Amino acid sequence: MANDKKLIIANWKMNLNMHEASLYLHKLSKLIKTHRNVEVVLAPTTLTLQSLSLQMNLKQFKLAAQNFYWRDFGPYTGEISASQLRGIIQYALVGHSERRHIFNENNKDIRNKVAAAIRNNIRPILCIGETAWEHASGETKDVLHDQLMGGLANITSEELEQVVIAYEPVWAISAGKDSTPINVIPADVEMAVNAVRSQIKHLFGEKAAENIQVLYGGSVTPDSVADYLALPGVNGLLVGGASLNANTFNGIIEKAHKNSTVAKKD
Ligand code: 13P
């Protein structure tokens, strides 16, 4: 695999105000050890992106937007574009299940966003995953296939090198900070991640399938980090609820460091 760095991403969703976000960053930057085998990315609300970008050290963290609109500018009240975020963020989530299911984003919106991120020098993290009903009906592979085809339809093999895929089964996403984590069997994650790579191979070839970074997300806690990162095709984690506490998130980063295949030199 070309990139053995584990990507650990905190998706704060619609939590933490400006003050709380700044305190969190201050705390985490004191706790965190920089590891060559782990890249840490914070995805706060749009409101705090700029102030955190000024406060943070890019050697410690990178920043991601949780959402943006795909056009670069124009009469789109209430929206913010990837071109406006350019230079502030390095990554952006695209097609998170909460965007797909609560805000009705479809594959066309999502593929436009993937392309907009790439043309603005931002790495898109394309989120895909099946619902509980699709899972129970044995449709996981078909859903992943459809979401990958839909989300990646506008890009070239060269552009794919900028893309990260996050597999998040919708039914495994926790309801928030204090809810009980849902246990997803690592073998099921492995099967889904293999399906992702085989679809990438079909669309973009073997090398692309080997090199693309694929993350897992859904109820990740410090206790489950090792199980998921031990899976051969999993290059990192997308963490929601457990990322809202700086100590807990730092615990996840440390576990990722210890369980990464390139832990030798640190
Ligand atoms: P939880 O870790 O709270 O289940 O959220 C996962 C998620 O949606 C991250 O994007």
Side-chain angles (χ1 to χ4, degrees):
M1 201 135 318
N3 191 344
D4 270 339
K5 234 180 188 189
K6 299 294 181 202
L7 199 47
I8 306 296
I9 305 181
N11 177 8
W12 293 352
K13 307 191 177 182
M14 201 174 68
N15 296 293
L16 307 188
N17 62 25
M18 295 261 286
H19 181 63
E20 290 162 340
S22 170
L23 282 179
Y24 178 115
L25 183 61
H26 181 73
K27 189 167 176 183
L28 186 62
S29 59
K30 297 257 177 270
L31 288 171
I32 203 172
K33 296 192 188 85
T34 310
H35 299 298
R36 251 170 294 175
N37 59 356
V38 181
E39 173 144 302
V40 180
V41 182
L42 302 178
T45 57
T46 308
L47 174 72
T48 56
L49 281 171
Q50 196 190 16
S51 58
L52 293 189
S53 81
L54 298 173
Q55 190 186 332
M56 73 174 23
N57 175 353
L58 277 179
K59 286 197 181 121
Q60 280 188 311
F61 311 103
K62 303 283 187 270
L63 268 183
Q66 293 176 17
N67 183 40
F68 58 93
Y69 188 50
W70 60 272
R71 291 193 190 270
D72 284 342
F73 56 87
Y76 306 103
T77 302
E79 293 298 327
I80 183 162
S81 69
S83 77
Q84 292 171 314
L85 290 164
R86 190 186 181 119
I88 297 174
I89 57 171
Q90 294 71 44
Y91 291 88
L93 301 182
V94 177
H96 190 280
S97 66
E98 287 147 18
R99 304 278 339 151
R100 291 179 193 262
H101 298 292
I102 303 172
F103 300 101
N104 299 321
E105 277 187 16
N106 60 31
N107 276 336
K108 185 164 174 272
D109 302 321
I110 290 164
R111 83 172 65 116
N112 283 330
K113 287 183 180 198
V114 168
I118 293 170
R119 78 171 173 268
N120 284 292
N121 217 9
I122 294 165
R123 297 191 67 193
I125 301 158
L126 174 62
C127 303
I128 57 174
E130 80 286 3
T131 62
W133 187 86
E134 290 159 345
H135 181 73
S137 322
E139 288 176 19
T140 300
K141 281 188 188 170
D142 294 339
V143 172
L144 299 182
H145 175 270
D146 180 56
Q147 292 178 345
L148 284 170
M149 288 285 284
L152 300 175
N154 281 354
I155 64 163
T156 63
S157 305
E158 209 173 51
E159 289 170 333
L160 184 77
E161 290 170 17
Q162 300 309 312
V163 177
V164 178
I165 307 288
Y167 168 61
E168 295 204 302
V170 181
W171 51 274
I173 295 178
S174 70
K177 201 165 142 222
D178 300 316
S179 64
T180 317
I182 295 144
N183 185 29
V184 180
I185 302 164
D188 285 352
V189 174
E190 189 173 14
M191 190 211 72
V193 167
N194 286 343
V196 168
R197 286 193 197 277
S198 109
Q199 181 62 14
I200 297 288
K201 183 174 164 188
H202 177 71
L203 293 172
F204 296 96
E206 191 152 356
K207 204 151 188 258
E210 237 178 69
N211 289 342
I212 194 153
Q213 286 174 290
V214 183
L215 316 182
Y216 169 72
S219 291
V220 172
T221 65
D223 292 339
S224 57
V225 169
D227 288 345
Y228 296 128
L229 289 186
L231 300 172
V234 175
N235 305 112
L237 301 166
L238 180 51
V239 189
S243 74
L244 289 172
N245 177 297
N247 284 312
T248 312
F249 188 55
N250 188 51
I252 290 176
I253 295 164
E254 281 305 303
K255 290 250 170 112
H257 164 59
K258 291 197 184 92
N259 288 285
S260 173
T261 48
V262 285
K264 306 151 218 157
K265 295 198 189 93
D266 290 331

